[in-house]
Amino acid sequence: MQKTFALIESFNKPLDKTAFFEAKEKYCTSIRTSSFSMLENTNLIELIETIKRTLSQIGPYKDLTPFEALNRIGSDLVLLAGAEKIFNNEIPSIKPKTILLNMGNKAGYDVIIETDKGKVYGEAFNAAKSFCKVKMRESINKLLESSKSEERYSQKQRVIFYNEDITDIIEAYTNKKEKATPGVIIHKIPCNYKEVVDFKDR
């Protein structure tokens, strides 16, 4: 992962609010200055070769296919939007000291928020409407498993960041395992990933 994610040094440690916004700006700059584009092509075989087979450099990622890189960037932007909401106290019961964002498809939890009362674990995803229920179910299951295995957590809270264009589906979604675990609060936080990077100066 270190070889493919150019900003690993900015995100490989817990960040306080100041460090987060500095790292976020580096990420956004790498997106604004990316020269990658998809040329018009009606040959679907060639498009498959380009999108799913050809290694490229896109934003902060190198030596990945456009398919892989754009998937990671989509999730990263949700992570950045969600962390900003936490640092801006949009979830009053979570008062962060630092937030660790596992950018670049790292193993483990996507988000670890350090508070005075312990850690709050989280997941993040950027999913199409056809797949978002599956991603939400997987995220909830993973976070509820953590209540069994992790000793330190803040008031049994968890967070899930997701792309806000699926909010109508997520708000109507119910999860049996979550209902059966009333002692753990899972904050489901819609994130506008499309507005993380300001392209006005480009």
Side-chain angles (χ1 to χ4, degrees):
M1 197 274 294
Q2 292 185 6
K3 294 180 180 178
T4 59
F5 186 49
L7 296 177
I8 182 64
E9 293 301 320
S10 297
F11 288 98
N12 67 349
K13 56 187 177 297
L15 304 173
D16 63 17
K17 188 172 183 177
T18 299
F20 164 75
F21 280 101
E22 290 174 353
K24 175 179 177 252
E25 181 53 34
K26 289 180 183 178
Y27 193 102
C28 291
T29 297
S30 75
I31 298 296
R32 284 193 294 267
T33 57
S34 177
S35 60
F36 177 81
S37 67
M38 293 295 296
L39 299 176
E40 288 188 18
N41 192 336
T42 58
N43 185 319
L44 295 184
I45 302 303
E46 289 182 4
L47 281 174
I48 291 171
E49 290 295 315
T50 299
I51 294 171
K52 302 193 75 172
R53 302 288 185 269
T54 305
L55 299 182
S56 303
Q57 179 161 352
I58 305 176
Y61 290 98
K62 60 182 180 179
D63 297 330
L64 293 178
T65 66
F67 181 81
E68 293 171 304
L70 292 173
N71 271 337
R72 292 189 187 185
I73 289 168
S75 296
D76 289 350
L77 293 177
V78 168
L79 273 170
L80 291 171
E84 185 165 346
K85 285 175 176 281
I86 297 297
F87 273 124
N88 288 337
N89 300 314
E90 293 193 26
I91 305 297
S93 60
I94 299 177
K95 301 187 184 306
K97 294 167 58 180
T98 63
I99 299 179
L100 176 65
L101 300 175
N102 283 334
M103 311 286 271
N105 202 34
K106 289 171 65 177
Y109 298 106
D110 294 334
V111 186
I112 302 176
I113 304 166
E114 188 71 53
T115 76
D116 286 333
K117 298 179 180 179
K119 295 178 181 177
V120 177
Y121 299 96
E123 288 293 298
F125 62 85
N126 190 333
K129 289 190 174 185
S130 60
F131 194 56
C132 65
K133 289 183 181 179
V134 173
K135 292 296 291 183
M136 182 58 74
R137 182 174 67 249
E138 291 174 348
S139 297
I140 290 172
N141 288 346
K142 182 174 179 179
L143 291 173
L144 290 180
E145 281 301 311
S146 72
S147 16
K148 301 175 184 176
S149 60
E150 300 288 350
E151 293 183 0
R152 298 185 65 213
Y153 46 82
S154 175
Q155 302 172 14
K156 294 190 176 181
Q157 297 184 87
R158 302 288 184 269
V159 296
I160 297 176
F161 304 148
Y162 67 89
N163 48 304
E164 71 172 15
D165 48 338
I166 58 170
T167 299
D168 56 334
I169 298 175
I170 295 303
E171 287 182 342
Y173 171 75
T174 58
N175 182 278
K176 291 181 180 179
K177 187 172 286 188
E178 182 181 8
K179 280 188 170 184
T181 318
V184 178
I185 300 169
I186 301 178
H187 302 281
K188 301 177 186 74
I189 305 170
C191 299
N192 190 341
Y193 73 98
K194 299 175 185 178
E195 293 186 355
V196 172
V197 182
D198 186 354
F199 285 98
K200 287 187 294 186
D201 295 332
R202 183 166 179 175

